[in-house]
Amino acid sequence: IHAFCSTLFLVLISTNCTRENNSGQLSKDTIEKLKTSVVEIVVPKNEKESITYEKALPWETLTFQERTDKFHSIGTAFFVSDKELVTAAHVLAIPYFSFFKNFYIRNSAGETFKIKNILKFSMHKDIASFTLENYPKKIAFLNLNLSCDIGDAVFTVGNTHGEGLSFRNGQVASFTPEMINGEWKDIRYSSAASPGNSGGPLVNSDGDVLGVIIKKTSGENYNFATPIELYTKMSTDKANFLHRNATIALFHKENSISKDLKFEHSLPSSIDTLREDSKTAFNQGMDALLDEAIEKYKENYYPNGKTFKTYLREQIYIKGLGSLQTDAKFKEWTVNNTATKDIKISENQKGTFGTNVSGGIFMIIEKDPDVPLKEFIENQKLFMDTTLKSLPLSRNFGNQNIKITSLGAPQETKKWTDQLGRPWISSLWDLPWGDAFVHTTCMPYPKGAICNMMTGQASSLKLGFEKMLRSNYAEVTVGYDGEIKDWKDYFELPKEFLPPVFRNINFRNTKSNFYLGLDEYSIKYNSKEINEESKLHFHFGYDPHYNVLKEKLLLVELFPLKGDDKSHFRVQDLYSSTKDNSDKHQQSWNEATSQVGTYADKFYQADGVWTLRKVAKSSDRSISSNDGGQDIKTKVIIGCNFDTSVDLKEAHKRCEQFKKSVEVH
């Protein structure tokens, strides 16, 4: 004899539509039953004290329910037995990122009960069922009807716009094959459906369930329900996850790879366990898909693509952040350096902003001069508070946009290095009122931080987000620009804060003595025009010598006089061209080799600037080609540039002094 306890789940099923009551109206008794058996799915509101605003939130402008409700209403569910409820799987957002962690049902009496375990789950069918930790005293569960016809009166029952249950009538319009494989036919009906109705029952005039409401059309009022028969046939042992046509594209959709990602998980299971395990499985699937895409296109993709190796010989110089770009055929490579806008933070600070091709925001945020650079980078609350002074982020509240002054400390911060060895800090802030986020990825920069920022709904932190993010940063190009006083702070940072190419640079500046020691050359320039406000610009690109991605210094520019961006000195690398390089680059290499034309060590005038270029003595080098061809030849080029308002004799004098200061090793 074995003693045991069990729970009996009772589901009443009818196989025929009830023809006697197809009047297009629900009786009062049926409505009362539906009010007891259909519930809202809600999540707790979270007004974080760490988030502050420029003025008090105008709670008085909200409706009574908005002011007093402690929950967000996100969907609908209904009892099919005294212990089991059914909803649409997407309402619980299990395989996706969300800041919502605890889910409850709320009945018509306003009582809430926490969801405990998932009993059935299918992403493909968009149906889930679950149990509760505790149950209402009064429960009525609905009969399931497996048959109906076009023209039958039907009713949507559910939470409409988070404002409680509503009942709306219509007719069955048609039966539409499900979109992926046509495995069943969804019920298309004319009853109105609104946000919040998802997961509610589509019922007939007797209140019997015909289907689970899953989506609405954006145009005409024809909406969709999954037939309830699918629920009756679902497994109670396995949750089935399907991410249809998961896609990874390398720069363009033409260079993409797609695959259906599937995952199973044992049931019953808590939402937390199911969410974490499914996200992990899908992330691994997306990571593998990215690896597969890179392998598929490796002959054309960086770093080994032939056209990319050609680009390495004539890379583009920028200031700020840029993004590596190519066409759909991987024939033309360039760096997209978007137009930027400066916004004042204080008398001594500004923010510089521009959009990137991925829809985020490239930005340089200057710190308060009295704040150490290391503190500004590590104190992410301080960084974001400073950012919000120049980049307005607001919350729509009672039809007003209220500016946010602080997001507080981030929910999470991660330090990591990209494929080029550059250290980044990624931080995530949640906007709890809308399940939304702010995400930044930053590096130290003279004066402050250089970053990429993204905002959006939490669900857009899609599968494989972290690996894609880190992979994409190999495509980010940085041109560092700052005054000498800012560079002093930068080079005093601990080595782990700096990209590898900066860690062995020897930088000194005392009064009028400027020294910069690099692997290939050094600059020792003594001049009274050099001071704390003189500017220094470094541009790093990809090293053409390596089969793996590696960063290399390509250009140094020194701007002695504040406010004069035309008059400056430069030292840069020039690489030999191939037949595949542009005519302009081939001409530059030929002229530099012969030291004629623009490389004749003579000033020429172009665009209102006196320009001189000289091939540095003993600078010719030869490095092994990474494409199996001829060795790559390199030269170091010294350049002088002056506004044409500068006397040419004075320009020659200053240029000669700078040329002598450059020593090639």
Side-chain angles (χ1 to χ4, degrees), residues 483-485 509-515 523-536 557-570 603 639-643 646-647 649-659 661:
E483 297 178 356
I484 284 179
K485 61 185 177 183
N509 187 78
T510 56
K511 295 184 179 180
S512 58
N513 298 317
F514 173 83
Y515 178 79
I523 303 172
K524 187 177 182 180
Y525 185 61
N526 301 323
S527 172
K528 292 181 180 179
E529 66 183 8
I530 299 294
N531 56 53
E532 293 281 281
E533 295 182 332
S534 298
K535 289 202 305 183
L536 189 60
E557 291 182 305
L558 177 62
F559 297 79
L561 303 178
K562 184 176 182 179
D564 184 359
D565 288 337
K566 290 184 177 180
S567 300
H568 66 279
F569 307 115
R570 65 160 54 185
F603 276 107
C640 301
N641 301 271
F642 296 96
D643 190 292
V646 176
D647 180 76
K649 288 185 179 180
E650 176 67 17
H652 271 291
K653 178 182 176 182
R654 292 164 64 184
C655 187
E656 282 301 313
Q657 184 182 2
F658 181 75
K659 287 191 291 184
S661 75

Side-chain angles (χ1 to χ4, degrees), residues 289-302:
L289 200 60
L290 175 59
D291 292 338
E292 190 175 336
I294 292 173
E295 177 66 22
K296 178 178 179 180
Y297 294 102
K298 67 179 180 180
E299 292 184 2
N300 297 311
Y301 197 52
Y302 66 80

